[in-house]
């Protein structure tokens, strides 16, 4: 046996030696056709074999080929492939040109990929270059103005804040309107979506696909109603490894206001006009009774005395924004490396991101890491794993419209009120609280740990057949600590003197897993007929638990754990819930000669959330496209690159925003007469099911002049029915309402996107991109006989058939009577009256929080190593009730607080035409459309100026690339009609104002960033 093995080894060695002797080496250099510079990382492959080699930092390569020759294939992302017949040559130099035609670009869609040429659906793609290195920690905000049909509104300017994403309008009243998030083919539960958006490092993202129509989204069935955002993270390129270090540092500060606040002299004059004597003046009178006897008021003084008193009070003039706000620091360090060795590709990154807020004590910190590995174990077997971990920590401020809000305090504190009293203690101000002290003694800390692991096995047993099994595991661990320190700012006001200080600890954990088994087979018949079929089975399960603990009576601000509290405060609770979703789905694609395309999909979902009679639903889609540019009658037009007509129709569902057990009859427990009792707490509804949306879309894609001009147009019509609404029931049931499937809402609109390469030479390139969306939203149906639903949080927005979602219902302001200075209103009949009645409120047709148009545009220039880019987003139309203006430009009842200088615009004498009626301490600022404003704006979202050092200068020191840059975020905003910042996401979080654009009420303001960055690759 040993002799046989030795003989076999010698024979094999001889054969290998013989084969090696029959090969030779080919060398060469690959350069960029436009710049002439060497191209590192180009894959050079011997066609038909696995033999391949990458180019080095100078673009040089060396590869062994058979003596008989063969064909070399040169490929690099973004460049056109070249195939060169070797023949007898030993040196093969190649110039690669950029792939100016985008029709072969690979687009990530539901459960797979397609080329743009093959797409029959409406999909917007945002690439890595568009979002990387931006100083915004939440990825969803980076989509602003980037894609047609996608309206993105920042929740607010808080570090780590998320955004509201609306894809083709708002399609639900009570269920969720946020899109489904899919990361590396794993669906993210709704409870985790926001945390994943701000825990993923944007520099790790390869692409973001937004699936808008039924042909793209219906494969996700009951979770696809609001569209789908598909994020794919980077994987190792087929090249030698690249090590990259990124550094960024800068500051962020509040964006400037477009109004002025009163200084001390102005505010004192305003108070005098209204006959108001503030407490600081009264204190001065009391300290100088010899001059100012009891009963003295500001209006009883002589002009000289008044100027003396005002001089003393105004001597303390200062701007509270200078005391409360700060320039927050931004700093980021990131290390990543990726590449491939043999048949294994890899990508790894580690990032630390820190951003201070614009107020004392507020900051956001994040650690994030990505590890993606894929290896070809056998020619027919590939195994891959994607791991993303993120940890965020945020020191919070209160987002509430009361004395605990620093962004209200910085406006309403009077400029003559000092920060400190004469004895060095904090001055409580006219509101009874000093916000600077509050921010130091009332800390709130939130932490989030998120994890996503996607493991997949891909089996390729025969040509065209792929069998994939994927397991996705996601985890979110959330904790919150809110501590009112003993002796702190709030303790004397709301605390217990016998048990000072109080602490709340609450949190939740959610573990979600999915298992997807997928089979896909692609084949051709007679070369002209290309067919692809796919089938999948999927199971999803989420396990959620939460807790809340409260205690009071803490001996020290340094003792913060619950076991240091003296007694319980309120109820200590825990909860658990589970939901599951089981699905079967399939799709089929057909094209004839790559000219006529037809696709269809169907999915059957079963959800534990819904009623026994409606647990299962079927969702389908079909689409078709005609690649007209492939027709013979258009072949003679060299200027035409692509012309494609497409159409789709289908259904999707929405089960977001509904609790896990809402279809069931539930009981709660308590005590009665000393005994344990149970009682009904929810009526059963076995017919409860998901909202269903019918989506229709027609689109036209055009590309001209070798894709230097690309234009896409879409018309969509979407109708959502079976809305999940509360229906009133007889009080004899013991309940007021039950959730049922009733009502409908529609969205219709037009989208356009344009990309133009204006100039393209060897040294200079200039491009432009832009998009615009027009959307019309309307509530179609409610409960039978129900006229409208009033928004419970604002009280001034309604959902009414025939009108847009969140239409305003207000008493109409008729201006100021120029003869008398009295406030005037319109009654229900449109007649002017001076009597305010809340019952005169009417629905203001055409005035809702929904914009008429929205979109974005940008440009990018590059001259040799210098690059400059700018991006703008805009909103036209849409109304917001300006609660900030209502308090800062009031009729007079807010005289104790500081006001905008616009508050001087009040009536003084007959004939005055003013915004405000005559000022009086007895006035009451009424809720009317006087403060309802057009929230149109145009914002310069980002400007970046960079310089890439020539490779010839740095390659000698083994550096592959070096780029430095500076950038600004939110630099300029054009605001034609709005007082303050019109970009309103969250009006006030703790007031429940979460519908974008509805109501502005002192949430965290938008910030402006200035950063310097460095990208270094080896």
């Amino acid at each position: 046996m040993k002799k046989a093995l030795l003989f076999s080894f010698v024979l094999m060695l001889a054969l290998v030696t013989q084969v090696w002797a029959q090969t030779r080496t080919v060398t060469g250099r690959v350069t960029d056709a436009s710049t002439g510079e060497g191209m590192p990382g180009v894959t050079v492959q011997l066609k038909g074999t696995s033999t391949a080699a990458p180019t080095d930092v100078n673009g040089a390569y060396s590869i062994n080929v058979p003596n008989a020759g063969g064909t070399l294939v040169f490929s690099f992302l973004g460049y056109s492939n070249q195939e060169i017949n070797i023949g007898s040559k030993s040196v093969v130099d190649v110039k690669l040109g950029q792939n100016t035609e985008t029709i072969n670009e690979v687009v990530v869609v539901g459960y797979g990929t397609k080329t743009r040429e093959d797409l029959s659906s409406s999909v917007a793609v945002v690439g890595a270059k568009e979002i990387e290195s931006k100083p915004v920690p939440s990825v969803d905000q980076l989509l602003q103005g980037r894609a047609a049909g996608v309206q993105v509104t920042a929740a607010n300017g808080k570090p780590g804040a998320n955004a509201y994403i609306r894809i083709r309008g708002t399609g639900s009243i009570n269920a969720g309107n946020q899109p489904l998030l899919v990361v590396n083919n794993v669906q993210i539960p709704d409870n985790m979506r926001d945390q994943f958006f701000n825990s993923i490092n944007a520099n790790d993202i390869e692409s973001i696909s937004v699936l808008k129509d039924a042909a793209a989204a219906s494969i996700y069935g009951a979770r696809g109603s609001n569209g789908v955002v598909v994020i794919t993270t980077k994987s190792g390129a087929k090249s030698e490894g690249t090590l990259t270090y990124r550094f960024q540092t800068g500051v962020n500060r509040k964006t400037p206001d477009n109004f002025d606040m009163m200084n001390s002299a102005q505010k004192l004059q305003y108070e005098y006009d209204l006959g108001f004597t503030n407490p600081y003046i009264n204190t001065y009178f009391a300290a100088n009774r010899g001059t100012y006897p009891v009963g003295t008021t500001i209006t009883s003084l002589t002009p000289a005395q008044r100027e003396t008193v005002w001089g003393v009070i105004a001597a303390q003039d200062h701007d509270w924004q200078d005391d409360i706000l700060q320039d927050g620091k931004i700093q980021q360090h990131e290390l990543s490396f990726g590449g491939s060795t043999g048949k294994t590709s890899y990508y790894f990154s580690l990032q630390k991101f820190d951003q201070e807020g614009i107020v004392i004590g507020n900051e956001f910190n994040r650690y994030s890491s990505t590890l993606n590995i894929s290896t070809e174990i056998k020619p027919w077997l590939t195994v891959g794993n994607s791991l993303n971990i993120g940890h965020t920590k945020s020191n919070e401020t209160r987002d509430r419209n009361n004395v605990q809000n620093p962004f209200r305090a910085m406006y309403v504190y009077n400029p003559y009120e000092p920060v400190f009293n004469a004895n060095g203690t904090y001055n409580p101000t006219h509101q009874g609280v000093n916000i600077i002290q509050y921010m130091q003694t009332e800390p709130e800390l939130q932490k989030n740990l998120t994890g996503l692991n996607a493991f997949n096995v891909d089996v390729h047993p025969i040509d065209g057949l792929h069998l994939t099994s994927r397991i996705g595991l996601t985890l979110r661990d959330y904790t919150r600590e809110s501590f009112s320190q003993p002796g702190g700012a709030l303790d004397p006001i709301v605390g217990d003197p016998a048990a000072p200080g109080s602490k709340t600890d609450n949190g939740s954990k959610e573990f979600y897993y999915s298992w997807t088994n997928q089979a896909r087979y692609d084949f051709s018949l007679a070369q002209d007929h290309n067919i692809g079929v796919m089938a999948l089975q999927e199971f999803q399960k989420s396990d959620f638990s939460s807790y809340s603990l409260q205690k009071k009576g803490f001996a020290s601000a340094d003792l913060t754990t619950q076991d240091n509290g003296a007694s319980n405060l309120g109820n200590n609770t825990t909860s658990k819930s589970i939901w599951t979703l089981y699905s079967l789905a399939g799709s089929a694609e057909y094209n004839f000669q790559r000219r006529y395309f037809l696709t269809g999909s169907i999915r059957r979902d079963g959800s534990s959330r819904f009623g026994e009679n409606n647990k299962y639903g079927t969702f389908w889609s079909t689409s078709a496209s005609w690649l007209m540019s492939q027709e013979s009658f258009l072949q003679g037009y060299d200027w035409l690159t692509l012309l494609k007509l497409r159409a789709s129709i289908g259904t999707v569902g929405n089960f977001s925003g509904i609790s896990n057990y809402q279809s069931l009859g539930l009981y709660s427990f308590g005590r009665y007469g000393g005994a344990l009792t149970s009682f009904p707490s929810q009526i059963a509804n076995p017919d409860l099911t998901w909202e269903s949306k019918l989506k229709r879309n027609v689109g036209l894609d055009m590309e001209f002049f070798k894709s230097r001009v690309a234009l896409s147009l879409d018309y969509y019509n979407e109708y959502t029915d079976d809305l999940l609404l509360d229906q009133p029931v007889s009080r004899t049931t013991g309940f007021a309402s039950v959730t049922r499937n009733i009502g409908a809402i529609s969205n219709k609109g037009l989208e356009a996107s344009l990309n133009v390469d204006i100039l393209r030479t060897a040294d200079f390139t200039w491009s432009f991109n832009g998009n615009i969306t027009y959307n019309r939203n309307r509530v179609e149906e409610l409960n039978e006989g129900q006229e409208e639903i009033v928004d419970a949080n604002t009280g001034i927005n309604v959902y009414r058939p025939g009108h847009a979602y969140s239409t305003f219902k207000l008493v109409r302001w008729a201006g100021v009577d120029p003869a008398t200075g009295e406030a005037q209103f319109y009654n229900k009949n449109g007649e002017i009256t001076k009597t305010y009645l809340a019952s005169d409120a009417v629905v203001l047709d055409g005035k809702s929080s929904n914009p008429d148009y929205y979109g974005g545009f940008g440009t990018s220039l590059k001259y040799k190593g210098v690059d400059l880019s700018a991006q703008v987003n805009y909103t036209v139309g849409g109304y917001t009730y300006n609660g900030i203006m209502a308090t800062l430009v009031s009729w007079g009842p807010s005289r104790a607080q500081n006001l905008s200088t616009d508050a001087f615009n009040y009536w003084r004498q007959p004939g005055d035409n003013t915004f405000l009626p005559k000022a009086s301490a007895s006035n009451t600022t009424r809720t009317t459309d006087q403060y309802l404003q057009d929230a149109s704006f145009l914002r310069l979202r980002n400007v970046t100026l960079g310089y890439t050092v020539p490779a010839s200068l740095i390659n000698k020191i083994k550096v592959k690339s070096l780029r430095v840059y500076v950038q600004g975020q939110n630099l300029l905003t054009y605001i034609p009609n709005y007082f303050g910042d019109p970009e309103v996401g969250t009006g006030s979080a703790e007031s429940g104002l979460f519908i974008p654009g509805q109501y502005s009420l002192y949430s965290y303001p938008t910030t402006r960033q200035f950063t310097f960055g460095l990208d270094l690759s080896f």
Side-chain angles (χ1 to χ4, degrees):
M1 175 63 73
K2 292 181 179 179
K3 291 182 179 179
L5 288 173
L6 180 61
F7 175 76
S8 299
F9 175 75
V10 173
L11 180 61
M12 182 179 66
L13 183 61
L15 289 172
V16 170
T17 303
Q18 181 66 18
V19 170
W20 183 261
Q22 294 175 354
T23 63
R24 57 192 175 90
T25 300
V26 172
T27 61
R29 187 167 183 258
V30 182
T31 56
D32 188 307
S34 61
T35 67
E37 294 184 352
M39 294 181 58
V42 175
T43 299
V44 184
Q45 185 169 11
L46 184 63
K47 189 174 183 179
T49 74
S50 60
T51 302
T55 58
D56 63 18
V57 293
N58 297 310
Y61 73 92
S62 175
I63 187 171
N64 292 321
V65 301
N67 277 333
T71 300
L72 291 180
V73 180
F74 298 82
S75 60
F76 190 76
L77 184 65
Y79 287 73
S80 298
N81 291 358
Q82 276 203 45
E83 296 187 8
I84 304 293
N85 188 355
I86 303 170
S88 60
K89 295 189 289 286
S90 60
V91 177
V92 178
D93 293 329
V94 173
K95 294 181 179 180
L96 289 186
Q98 291 188 6
N99 183 5
T100 58
E101 298 187 10
T102 62
I103 58 176
N104 291 320
E105 177 188 347
V106 175
V107 177
V108 179
V109 293
Y111 299 97
T113 60
K114 290 184 179 180
T115 65
R116 282 205 174 274
E117 183 182 50
D118 293 343
L119 273 179
S120 298
S121 54
S122 182
V123 179
V125 178
V126 179
K129 292 294 183 183
E130 298 174 70
I131 61 175
E132 65 183 10
S133 298
K134 301 297 187 293
V136 180
S138 191
V139 170
D140 46 4
Q141 288 200 37
L142 296 176
L143 296 176
Q144 286 183 313
R146 295 287 184 177
V150 184
Q151 182 191 3
V152 180
T153 307
N156 51 34
K158 184 179 71 172
N162 290 106
Y164 298 99
I165 301 177
R166 299 292 181 263
I167 298 175
R168 293 183 166 179
T170 301
S172 181
I173 294 176
N174 283 341
N177 284 293
Q178 291 283 84
L180 170 65
L181 174 62
V182 179
V183 180
N184 292 335
N185 293 307
V186 176
Q187 299 177 44
I188 304 301
D190 296 333
N191 288 343
M192 299 186 189
R193 178 185 52 244
D194 289 348
Q195 286 68 45
F196 270 92
F197 268 130
N198 66 23
S199 66
I200 294 176
N201 175 9
N203 295 329
D204 288 341
I205 295 175
E206 182 66 36
S207 70
I208 302 176
S209 296
V210 182
L211 315 185
K212 297 184 287 187
D213 69 345
S218 69
I219 195 65
Y220 290 102
R223 301 190 65 190
S225 179
N226 301 319
V228 185
V229 176
V230 182
I231 293 179
T232 304
T233 57
K234 294 176 180 177
S235 57
K238 292 182 178 179
S239 64
E240 66 175 359
T242 298
L243 176 66
T244 300
Y245 169 70
R246 298 175 189 263
F247 169 74
Q248 195 171 130
T249 186
V251 297
N252 63 299
R253 58 181 61 134
K254 181 183 174 298
T255 54
D257 292 320
N258 61 354
F259 59 88
D260 294 319
M261 297 298 295
M262 294 182 184
N263 60 28
S264 291
Q266 291 169 320
K267 180 63 194 320
L268 291 168
Q269 179 66 56
Y270 180 85
E271 292 172 358
Y272 173 76
D273 292 345
L274 269 70
F276 174 65
T277 304
N278 69 59
Y280 297 89
I281 291 178
N282 283 329
T283 299
Y284 180 76
F285 288 161
N288 297 272
R289 282 296 179 215
T291 307
Y292 309 104
V294 175
T296 302
T297 66
I298 192 67
T299 56
S300 65
L301 300 178
T302 66
Q305 288 176 319
R306 188 169 63 248
E307 289 296 332
T308 299
V309 173
W310 281 355
V312 173
I313 303 301
Q316 301 189 81
D317 181 77
H318 66 112
D319 187 342
W320 277 95
Q321 292 198 31
D322 294 337
D323 302 307
I324 294 172
L325 301 183
Q326 65 178 9
D327 283 350
K329 298 177 182 177
I330 301 173
Q331 193 164 97
Q332 171 187 302
H333 295 274
E334 179 186 328
L335 188 67
S336 66
F337 58 88
S340 63
T341 56
K343 298 180 180 181
T344 298
S345 61
Y346 56 89
Y347 176 82
F348 172 78
S349 76
L350 180 64
Q351 185 201 61
K352 184 179 186 294
F353 179 92
D354 299 305
Q355 181 178 355
E356 290 181 338
I358 59 172
V359 291
I360 301 168
N362 173 226
E363 62 180 329
F364 176 84
N365 311 105
R366 180 182 69 198
Y367 291 91
S368 60
S369 182
T370 293
L371 175 61
N372 294 336
I373 298 176
S374 179
T375 183
E376 182 183 301
I377 297 175
K378 300 287 185 181
W380 50 268
L381 176 63
T382 301
V383 176
N385 195 82
S386 175
L387 176 64
N388 300 91
I389 296 177
H391 182 270
T392 64
K393 182 176 70 173
S394 179
N395 292 291
E396 296 289 307
T397 60
R398 293 296 292 269
D399 190 352
R400 189 174 186 175
N401 185 36
N402 68 6
V403 299
Q404 302 172 69
N405 187 334
F407 305 111
R408 181 183 176 102
M410 69 184 188
Y411 290 115
V412 303
Y413 285 4
N414 289 297
Y416 52 72
E417 297 184 275
V419 176
F420 297 99
N421 295 315
N423 61 4
T425 60
Y426 281 102
N427 173 30
T429 75
H430 72 279
Q431 292 201 321
V433 171
N434 187 305
I435 197 65
I436 297 176
Q437 179 191 17
Y438 173 89
M439 289 188 292
Q440 298 176 55
T441 66
E442 316 297 318
E444 179 179 330
L445 176 65
Q446 296 185 16
K447 295 181 181 180
N448 274 287
L449 173 65
T450 56
L452 166 64
N453 193 84
F455 174 76
N456 63 277
V457 177
D458 184 40
V459 180
H460 179 48
I462 60 174
D463 287 344
L465 177 62
H466 284 268
L467 306 174
T468 303
S469 185
R470 180 182 304 107
I471 295 178
L473 307 174
T474 63
L475 170 71
R476 181 205 176 192
D477 188 340
Y478 165 74
T479 61
R480 172 181 174 269
E481 299 179 50
S482 179
F483 190 27
S484 182
Q485 295 177 358
L490 280 187
D491 202 35
I493 302 173
V494 298
D496 182 350
S502 61
K503 175 80 182 304
T504 299
D505 286 84
N506 63 282
S508 62
K509 290 184 179 181
E510 183 170 11
F511 176 70
Y512 161 88
Y513 74 87
S514 62
W515 186 14
T516 306
N517 295 298
Q518 179 179 347
R520 179 174 181 87
Y521 185 47
D522 296 283
F523 60 97
S524 298
L525 299 175
Q527 295 184 342
D528 291 334
H529 305 275
N530 304 298
I531 301 169
V533 292
M534 186 273 288
L536 71 83
Q537 170 269 339
E538 188 168 59
F539 177 74
Q540 303 174 56
K541 182 177 180 180
S542 172
D543 192 334
F544 176 87
S545 63
S546 66
Y547 68 91
S548 180
L549 307 172
Q550 293 179 297
K551 276 193 173 182
K552 63 180 180 177
F554 288 82
S556 167
D558 297 323
L559 303 174
T560 64
T561 57
Q562 289 289 324
D563 57 351
N564 285 297
S567 58
N568 289 333
L569 175 66
N571 295 321
N572 295 326
T573 62
T574 62
S575 68
K576 292 182 179 181
S577 65
I578 294 173
W579 64 261
T580 58
L581 186 70
Y582 181 76
S583 312
L584 296 173
S587 67
E589 304 164 6
Y590 168 79
N591 74 73
F592 176 69
Q593 294 182 345
R594 306 196 71 79
R595 284 185 293 168
Y596 312 108
F597 297 80
L598 182 65
T599 69
S601 70
I602 188 168
R603 179 167 177 138
R604 179 79 168 168
D605 281 332
S607 171
S608 64
R609 284 187 173 179
F610 294 103
E612 191 63 34
N613 300 335
N614 279 314
K615 281 192 178 297
Y616 298 92
T618 302
F619 307 93
W620 57 271
S621 74
T622 184
S623 65
S625 62
W626 176 21
L627 194 58
M628 292 181 283
S629 51
Q630 292 289 77
E631 298 290 354
S632 57
F633 60 82
L634 289 177
Q635 292 304 301
Y637 301 97
D638 294 338
W639 51 268
L640 180 63
T641 307
L642 175 78
L643 182 61
K644 181 171 67 174
L645 179 67
R646 48 186 167 77
S648 67
I649 185 172
T651 60
V652 284
N654 184 0
F655 84 161
S656 299
I658 298 300
S659 66
N660 292 336
Y661 308 114
Q662 199 150 348
S663 67
L664 304 177
L666 300 181
Y667 285 81
S668 294
F669 296 89
R671 299 190 69 84
Y672 181 76
L676 181 65
T677 61
S678 65
F679 54 91
S681 58
Q682 180 175 287
I683 302 177
N685 181 4
D687 296 320
L688 190 69
T689 190
W690 31 64
E691 298 180 346
S692 181
K693 179 181 288 186
L694 176 66
K695 288 173 168 266
R696 289 162 285 193
N697 189 91
V698 178
L700 183 65
D701 299 324
M702 297 166 281
E703 296 183 10
F704 310 100
F705 309 113
K706 296 184 178 180
S707 298
R708 291 187 63 168
V709 178
L711 175 65
S712 288
L713 304 172
D714 279 271
Y715 168 76
Y716 60 87
N717 187 333
E718 302 184 351
Y719 190 91
T720 307
D721 59 6
D722 291 333
L723 294 182
L724 291 158
L725 301 176
D726 291 332
Q727 185 177 52
V729 295
S730 171
R731 288 287 185 174
T732 60
T733 64
F735 297 90
S737 64
V738 62
T739 302
R740 289 182 177 153
N741 293 98
I742 41 181
I745 192 169
S746 66
N747 286 276
K748 300 176 183 178
L750 294 168
E751 299 172 358
S753 61
L754 175 67
N755 292 278
V756 181
D757 283 342
I758 301 171
L759 290 174
R760 185 193 297 152
T761 67
D763 292 331
F764 184 69
T765 60
W766 180 20
S767 63
F768 170 85
N769 68 83
N771 66 82
I772 186 171
T773 301
Y774 164 85
N775 185 74
R776 277 293 174 267
N777 169 281
R778 190 170 79 166
V779 177
E780 302 289 349
E781 300 175 25
L782 295 176
N783 295 310
E784 185 176 349
Q786 186 176 21
E787 184 180 49
E788 65 189 23
I789 296 174
V790 179
D791 189 293
N793 291 311
T794 68
I796 60 174
N797 296 87
V798 296
Y799 309 98
R800 186 183 182 113
H803 297 270
Y805 172 93
S806 187
T807 293
F808 287 92
K809 184 177 183 180
L810 289 160
V811 175
R812 291 166 292 171
W813 171 248
V816 177
D817 185 338
T820 65
E822 294 177 277
Q824 302 181 121
F825 316 94
Y826 291 103
N827 64 21
K828 277 194 171 181
N829 300 320
E831 302 163 336
I832 293 179
T833 177
K834 294 178 181 178
T835 301
Y836 175 86
L837 294 174
S839 59
D840 281 331
V842 297
V843 175
L844 304 178
D845 190 31
K847 292 188 176 181
S848 74
S849 55
N850 304 290
D852 298 324
Y853 304 90
Y854 60 86
F857 58 88
T859 189
S860 178
L861 301 93
K862 185 175 182 180
Y863 177 70
K864 295 186 177 179
V866 179
D867 61 270
L868 175 67
S869 65
Q871 191 68 29
V872 172
N873 78 298
Y874 61 87
T875 291
V876 179
Y879 286 80
T880 297
Y881 186 81
N882 198 333
I884 295 177
M885 185 182 184
T887 57
L888 298 185
V889 189
S890 77
W891 297 4
S894 301
R895 62 195 182 279
Q897 67 169 55
N898 198 23
L899 298 166
S900 164
T901 54
D902 295 277
F904 280 118
N905 188 15
Y906 59 82
W907 186 92
R908 289 176 171 80
Q909 60 186 13
D912 284 351
N913 291 302
T914 58
F915 179 75
L916 298 174
K918 58 184 176 183
S920 171
S922 62
N923 279 346
T924 299
T925 301
R926 301 297 187 177
T927 302
T928 71
D929 66 352
Q930 181 185 19
Y931 298 103
L932 184 65
Q933 294 190 298
D934 179 350
S936 300
F937 71 91
L938 181 149
R939 175 160 278 160
L940 181 57
R941 189 62 65 182
N942 179 270
V943 174
T944 302
L945 175 65
Y947 177 68
T948 301
V949 179
S952 59
L953 298 180
I954 58 176
N955 286 349
K956 297 177 182 179
I957 56 173
K958 306 301 181 183
V959 175
K960 184 178 293 187
S961 65
L962 172 61
R963 178 175 179 263
V964 292
Y965 60 90
V966 291
Q967 64 178 320
Q969 196 84 359
N970 300 327
L971 294 181
L972 296 171
T973 306
Y974 171 65
I975 306 171
N977 304 305
Y978 195 85
F979 178 94
D981 189 344
E983 186 178 2
V984 178
T986 299
S988 175
E990 295 183 52
S991 301
L993 303 177
F994 294 113
I995 295 178
Q998 260 193 350
Y999 206 114
S1000 174
L1001 203 59
Y1002 297 107
S1003 191
Y1004 205 115
T1006 301
T1007 61
R1008 174 185 290 176
Q1009 291 93 31
F1010 301 90
T1011 57
F1012 164 81
L1014 176 148
D1015 295 343
L1016 179 65
S1017 295
F1018 300 91

